[in-house]
Amino acid sequence: MSEITVTREDGEGRHGRYVARVAGIDAEGEITITRRGPSVISADHTGVPEAMAGLGVGRALIDFMLADARANGFKIIPICPYVRAQYARHPEWADLFTTKPGEDPTTA
């Protein structure tokens, strides 16, 4: 399995992303985020190109985002369907999210 490197890139304004790269693959996976307040972000969209399919990039992105939230004391609004689905499978992450596992954030 190829080594996945994940970093956080803070963009202009409130937007940023977690970016995954794999050596030898000219593509990037990402979770786009929006800072919603001093201690809340939303995970807006996860994208993993076909060149990275099956390498565990999506899970590596989520793991990095969760570690970042834990280390920096913020919560995550799971807007992205992929993030929401993974969270539903892992209720032990509940302390890092603004909703209950499987709950739609628009109804929370």
Side-chain angles (χ1 to χ4, degrees):
M1 182 174 213
S2 301
E3 184 174 329
I4 302 166
T5 302
V6 181
T7 58
R8 179 176 173 161
E9 296 179 355
D10 292 318
E12 296 292 322
R14 302 180 319 146
H15 301 283
R17 67 187 189 141
Y18 293 97
V19 183
R21 295 176 178 91
V22 177
I25 298 177
D26 188 27
E28 297 176 339
E30 69 176 4
I31 295 178
T32 59
I33 61 170
T34 302
R35 284 177 292 289
R36 304 288 177 166
S39 60
V40 179
I41 69 163
S42 60
D44 303 323
H45 172 74
T46 302
V48 177
E50 283 194 38
M52 298 174 121
L55 298 178
V57 170
R59 181 58 191 258
L61 285 161
I62 288 179
D63 288 346
F64 191 92
M65 180 178 65
L66 295 173
D68 190 30
R70 204 172 296 290
N72 292 294
F74 62 83
K75 300 252 184 201
I76 302 161
I77 302 168
I79 294 172
C80 168
Y82 176 74
V83 172
R84 202 164 47 246
Q86 290 301 311
Y87 173 37
R89 291 183 187 99
H90 295 278
E92 68 274 16
W93 299 345
D95 63 315
L96 299 173
F97 285 86
T98 60
T99 61
K100 295 177 183 170
E103 184 177 56
D104 184 341
T106 60
T107 62

